[in-house]
């Protein structure tokens, strides 16, 4: 099964279920940053979920310290579970 990821300004990606947003963006050449190598240690991979939050895995406790708002996720911790999610890259400083 697969899902779709619409990345604001970068197009639509078909993504196998269970793929992280970071993996999907790296595979597609979308410039999502990753200062910690994808281990929930920075907020460079942060995204804002514009629509389709139910197409994404539930928020993990490890993400919370790096998020300022309810509609944000860490791209390295969040996976596609099916359906279509619309996100925008929103790295923290
Ligand atoms: S790449 Fe650092 S938290 Fe995701």
């Amino acid at each position: 099964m697969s899902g779709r990821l619409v990345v604001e300004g970068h197009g639509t990606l078909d993504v196998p279920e269970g793929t992280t947003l970071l993996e999907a963006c790296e595979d597609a050449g979308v410039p999502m940053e990753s200062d910690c190598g994808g281990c929930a240690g920075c907020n460079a991979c942060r995204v804002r979920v514009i629509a389709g939050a139910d197409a994404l895995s539930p928020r993990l406790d490890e993400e919370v310290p790096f998020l300022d708002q309810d509609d944000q996720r860490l791209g390295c911790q969040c996976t596609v579970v099916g359906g279509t999610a619309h996100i925008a890259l929103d790295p923290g400083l």
Side-chain angles (χ1 to χ4, degrees):
M1 199 167 145
S2 66
R4 287 195 144 176
L5 196 58
V6 181
V7 185
E8 190 78 2
H10 297 283
T12 300
L13 317 178
D14 288 317
V15 181
E17 185 179 337
T19 304
T20 68
L21 306 189
L22 179 61
E23 291 166 340
C25 286
E26 286 181 338
D27 287 350
V30 174
M32 180 180 285
E33 297 176 30
S34 169
D35 289 345
C36 73
C39 62
C42 72
N43 59 8
C45 67
R46 194 169 68 183
V47 303
R48 183 168 48 88
V49 180
I50 297 169
D54 57 352
L56 302 172
S57 57
R59 180 187 279 195
L60 300 176
D61 290 344
E62 291 84 346
E63 295 178 69
V64 174
F66 301 100
L67 308 178
D68 296 329
Q69 304 193 18
D70 289 345
D71 62 353
Q72 293 172 328
R73 299 294 308 270
L74 291 184
C76 68
Q77 302 299 308
C78 178
T79 64
V80 174
V81 298
T84 300
H86 186 172
I87 64 168
L89 303 183
D90 188 23
L93 299 175

